[in-house]
Amino acid sequence: MNTQALVASIALALAGSAFAAGDHHHAADNHKPLHGGVVTPTKLMDFELVAKPTVIQLHLRDHGKPMDASQAKGKLTLLSGTDKQEVELKPAGDRLEATGSFKVGPGTKAVAVVTVGGKTATARFTLK
C-alpha cells in the first residue's frame, strides 16, 4: 500500500469515528424535557413525567419522536414522604394522563409501569 492510500485510509477511519461520536451526541439531545418535566429513557422508549397537583402527564417518545399513546396503558406510583398514591394513566393523544388531586413536589419519587404493544417498561423519576 502506498503512502497516499494509507493516509486516505486513516482519514476515512477517523472521519467515521467522528461521525459516530457526533451521532451519539445527537442521541443525548433526545433526552431533554420538551414539556417541562423529568425525562427517563428506557430500552422501550423515553418517558417525560409532568406532575402537577391536579394533573399527571406521561409523555411517550421513541428516539425523540412523539408516540401514539392510544394503545398504551399505565400505572404510576407516587411516593411523597410517607404518602403513597397509585394513579391509573389513560391515553390522551401522545401521552398518558390522569386528573385529580396529587401530592407532588420537589423530591417526590414516581415509578411508572407502561405497556405498549405487548411490551412493558418501567421508569423511575425524582421530581425537581
Side-chain angles (χ1 to χ4, degrees), residues 49-58 73-79 84-90 96-104 108-114:
L49 178 65
V50 178
K52 298 179 181 174
T54 58
V55 66
I56 301 283
Q57 297 175 332
L58 188 63
K73 62 180 181 177
K75 183 175 94 171
L76 186 73
T77 302
L78 295 169
L79 303 168
K84 177 180 176 181
Q85 187 175 10
E86 300 282 332
V87 180
E88 183 181 350
L89 300 170
K90 296 185 179 183
L96 296 173
E97 187 173 276
T99 56
S101 179
F102 309 106
K103 290 187 177 183
V104 294
T108 298
K109 297 191 184 316
V111 178
V113 178
V114 176

